Amino acid sequence: MAARRRRRRLKKQTRKQLQVWGAVAAVIAVAWVAGNWSTVWPVLVTVLAAAALGGAGWALLRAHRRAVGQDRAWRAQEEARARELSMAQVDALTWQEFETYIAELCRRDGCRDVVVSGKSGDLGADVVGYLADGRKLVIQCKKYAAHRSVSSQDMQKFVGTARLEHGADVALFVTTCSAFTRDALGLALRQDIVALHRDLLGSWVKGAHLESLIPLNGSGGGTRRRPSA
């Protein structure tokens, strides 16, 4: 107990000594500044001005970044709204009309020899054609309600026929629904099937070129996270 009291007394003494020396240092500093005011004040004014300018610059930078972020968010919302407006017309199509429309989009983007099957038993090849560089394109079209998802079973059927039956160089699974299930998208990525959900289809409808959408393959929206391949 006695040792503890001694330590407390030493700490108090140390604090008091520090306070005294701090006060002495402050008095000396004030006296020095007063004695050298003609030299000190230009430096002080410069430092204060630089601090003010720096603070104003930082505030402006933050405001700019915030405005840019808000503008990007607004643009993304407007693009999503525009896609949905265009997709409303696609939603009104029958499944046969939807396949024909997808073929028209392919032709618009420079594909050639585009043919629409338009019948059942086509083994997943609803639309067949060739990209501008000569690669064979095989498309499976699924006209589903927006709230639905493409299942793994749907994807398995297309995987089994796209290349083995139809010799596709590029196999595209395009749907009007919002997403592929995690298993379906994982299978598509492993088997090199291009998965275009509603958001990507909306971009295609709005004018995005097919070959710019192929590398996205299931990303860019949708309602589920993109699994690793």
Side-chain angles (χ1 to χ4, degrees):
M1 291 293 291
R4 190 175 298 171
R5 282 195 294 270
R6 281 197 299 272
R7 284 198 296 272
R8 280 201 294 267
R9 280 199 299 271
L10 286 172
K11 287 181 180 179
K12 287 181 180 179
Q13 291 174 358
T14 302
R15 280 199 299 270
K16 287 180 179 179
Q17 289 174 353
L18 289 174
Q19 290 170 354
V20 169
W21 283 110
V24 170
V27 169
I28 294 173
V30 170
W32 183 86
V33 169
N36 297 274
W37 181 245
S38 61
T39 304
V40 170
W41 77 263
V43 177
L44 184 60
V45 169
T46 302
V47 170
L48 291 175
L53 288 173
W58 174 246
L60 287 173
L61 179 60
R62 289 187 63 185
H64 173 71
R65 287 176 175 174
R66 185 163 54 250
V68 169
Q70 291 172 347
D71 181 67
R72 285 176 179 169
W74 176 80
R75 288 178 183 276
Q77 291 173 355
E78 288 300 306
E79 288 174 4
R81 191 175 293 114
R83 283 197 302 268
E84 279 305 304
L85 286 174
S86 62
M87 285 300 295
Q89 298 173 347
V90 176
D91 289 336
L93 300 175
T94 65
W95 67 266
Q96 296 96 334
E97 291 170 336
F98 178 57
E99 291 179 2
T100 300
Y101 180 65
I102 293 299
E104 291 173 358
L105 290 177
C106 291
R107 295 188 187 102
R108 181 201 73 186
D109 289 347
C111 297
R112 55 184 176 79
D113 300 331
V114 179
V115 177
V116 181
S117 169
K119 61 184 179 181
S120 60
D122 54 20
L123 298 178
D126 296 322
V127 177
V128 178
Y130 293 87
L131 295 171
D133 60 9
R135 288 177 296 169
K136 186 174 183 179
L137 174 67
V138 176
I139 303 177
Q140 166 80 85
C141 302
K142 284 295 181 184
K143 179 70 168 48
Y144 284 161
H147 66 273
R148 287 191 58 181
S149 298
V150 173
S151 69
S152 176
Q153 191 172 27
D154 287 334
M155 186 61 69
Q156 288 174 24
K157 292 177 181 177
F158 188 48
V159 166
T161 60
R163 290 186 171 81
L164 292 177
E165 293 289 337
H166 306 297
D169 296 308
V170 177
L172 180 67
F173 196 121
V174 59
T175 180
T176 52
C177 66
S178 297
F180 295 79
T181 65
R182 185 179 180 85
D183 288 343
L185 187 52
L187 180 60
L189 292 171
R190 291 193 301 274
Q191 298 297 326
D192 197 24
I193 303 294
V194 181
L196 259 65
H197 52 59
R198 186 180 184 84
D199 284 353
L200 295 178
L201 173 59
S203 296
W204 195 12
V205 170
K206 288 295 292 180
H209 198 282
L210 175 58
E211 294 202 35
S212 72
L213 295 172
I214 288 174
L216 297 179
N217 193 7
S219 63
T223 59
R224 289 173 173 78
R225 291 179 58 193
R226 186 181 184 188
S228 57

